[in-house]
Amino acid sequence: MKKQDRILLAHGSGGKLSHDLISQVFLPNFANPFLERLDDAAVFELSGESLAFTTDSYVVSPLFFKGGDIGKLALCGTVNDLAMSGAVPRFLSVAFIIEEGFLVKDLLRILDSMKSAAEEAGVVVVTGDTKVVEKGGADGLFINTAGLGVVPPGTDISGSNARAGDKIILSGTIGDHGIAIISEREGLSFQTKIVSDCAPLNGLVSEMLKASTEVRAMRDPTRGGLASTLNEIAQQSRVGMEIKEEKIPIKEDVFGACEMLGFDPLHEANEGKLVAVVAANAAEAVLSAMRKNRYGKDAAIIGEAIEGQPGRVLMKTTVGATRIVDMLVGEQLPRIC
Ligand code: MG
């Protein structure tokens, strides 16, 4: 990136340009070994305890959508980023940037759904902040959450731990969140059927870790979708990946909506799904533990990490061809989360 370049919406896509921004602009200024792991949460030792720490901001538009709202999203997103490092999420902060004129009843509705999500996830909001900006200074409401979790002893989960031969497990159907948001935004005819998958995944993760100590990497495929997440893990771990299109769970409505809109479902955002890379001999045990959990009932092994093609993700399509699965390059849908 050149100094005269400007920030584009695509720099917030979670895809290729987001990664360029991080690696070329942010990382050189904050370089340290915790940040350089490029995982969903930083993991470090403090007073003999292994902790995970993460933060995330939410700018989703619209604020309310089928299956959730900005509050539930902000709560679950941070819980999930902690859970992806194997941590048990404990304490959260919540900061609100509110535009002048925002309705208190809408704020109460958002807080109510945050409260329910916090109860389900077993986390406590222990600190917060409120700022109000002039009309036009924010689009209604933005939320930032940060979270702290405890990593159980012996847990070592990172996007850089995948090895050739490991199985790739996806916890359920892809694209539900992205399509729920776009249909809400555009008032499309299919909007009644598609619901965001927004959910806290820490319970699912704890069942997985109970089933095996050989879960090596986990990540939630949010912005940038499954394709970006697999590329990230492949690059961090310097392995290739081969997935099978026919194994990837997707709802018929979501697939149809993607076809209609010209979207690749592999790039669609998810807010209640995870990808896990698991040692081959443990994959079936982890899969069956996942399927017993409500958020993992459609879990499937979608492929494996391979020896050749380090950093590259390949997909065998339903028609038998092989194609390269790239990170999202432009911006499919801004302000998805
Ligand atoms: Mg994440």
Side-chain angles (χ1 to χ4, degrees):
M1 293 175 76
K2 299 186 202 83
K3 283 197 175 137
Q4 64 270 29
D5 286 350
R6 289 175 192 270
I7 296 297
L8 308 173
L9 274 172
H11 284 113
S13 67
K16 175 80 173 64
L17 289 187
S18 298
H19 285 85
D20 290 350
L21 184 65
I22 292 168
S23 64
Q24 295 169 32
V25 177
F26 293 129
L27 275 184
N29 284 289
F30 296 119
N32 66 66
F34 307 105
L35 193 60
E36 281 158 12
R37 277 166 60 114
L38 295 176
D39 284 328
D40 283 351
V43 173
F44 46 83
E45 300 284 322
L46 206 62
S47 307
E49 201 108 60
S50 180
L51 301 176
F53 181 44
T54 192
T55 186
D56 217 327
S57 298
Y58 296 85
V59 298
V60 66
S61 172
L63 297 174
F64 298 95
F65 46 85
K66 287 210 169 52
D69 56 45
I70 190 170
K72 183 180 183 186
L73 204 59
L75 205 298
C76 296
T78 285
V79 161
N80 292 346
D81 278 347
L82 291 171
M84 293 309 120
S85 63
V88 177
R90 295 288 305 277
F91 301 111
L92 261 62
S93 75
V94 180
F96 297 93
I97 298 167
I98 313 173
E99 185 180 325
E100 174 189 23
F102 194 75
L103 286 173
V104 171
K105 81 168 165 53
D106 286 346
L107 186 58
L108 287 169
R109 195 175 148 198
I110 287 163
L111 292 174
D112 191 56
S113 75
M114 292 186 95
K115 187 177 164 222
S116 308
E119 279 167 9
E120 184 183 348
V123 295
V124 194
V125 174
V126 291
T127 185
D129 179 53
T130 310
K131 296 285 189 295
V132 179
V133 296
E134 303 88 339
K135 196 145 194 61
D139 191 6
L141 173 74
F142 299 146
I143 300 180
N144 172 276
T145 48
L148 194 68
V150 178
V151 183
T155 311
D156 174 24
I157 290 168
S158 167
S160 52
N161 288 351
R163 298 178 207 169
D166 289 350
K167 299 291 181 191
I168 302 163
I169 307 179
L170 175 64
S171 66
T173 56
I174 57 166
D176 300 31
H177 179 73
I179 296 300
I181 295 293
I182 185 77
S183 58
E184 200 80 48
R185 213 181 278 173
E186 305 295 333
L188 298 173
S189 57
F190 50 75
Q191 74 175 50
T192 47
K193 293 185 206 150
I194 300 167
V195 174
S196 167
D197 55 351
C198 180
L201 297 175
N202 53 320
L204 174 65
V205 168
S206 101
E207 296 302 322
M208 293 167 68
L209 299 184
K210 250 183 257 168
S212 170
T213 54
E214 290 185 278
V215 177
R216 300 207 222 271
M218 278 190 290
R219 190 153 299 172
D220 50 346
T222 53
R223 278 177 311 171
L226 178 64
S228 297
T229 294
L230 292 176
N231 272 281
E232 285 168 10
I233 299 174
Q235 284 168 21
Q236 275 178 268
S237 296
R238 294 179 192 91
V239 293
M241 284 186 174
E242 200 170 76
I243 57 170
K244 291 195 171 75
E245 187 173 21
E246 62 183 28
K247 299 286 185 197
I248 300 172
I250 182 165
K251 293 193 177 98
E252 215 172 292
D253 294 347
V254 171
F255 185 78
C258 285
E259 292 262 280
M260 194 179 107
L261 297 163
F263 288 166
D264 183 344
L266 296 178
H267 287 147
E268 278 302 314
N270 311 277
E271 291 291 342
K273 298 289 151 48
L274 66 82
V275 175
V277 181
V278 179
N281 61 8
E284 284 300 330
V286 172
L287 184 67
S288 81
M290 289 174 80
R291 284 182 172 162
K292 286 181 197 133
N293 185 290
R294 62 187 284 213
Y295 298 126
K297 64 180 167 45
D298 299 320
I301 296 175
I302 61 164
E304 58 185 20
I306 56 172
E307 198 75 60
Q309 312 262 4
R312 186 163 270 194
V313 181
L314 304 169
M315 181 166 79
K316 285 245 184 300
T317 68
T318 44
V319 293
T322 299
R323 76 156 165 109
I324 293 172
V325 175
D326 269 326
M327 248 181 214
L328 179 60
V329 175
E331 172 59 291
Q332 191 152 279
L333 206 58
R335 297 183 56 191
I336 195 78
C337 59

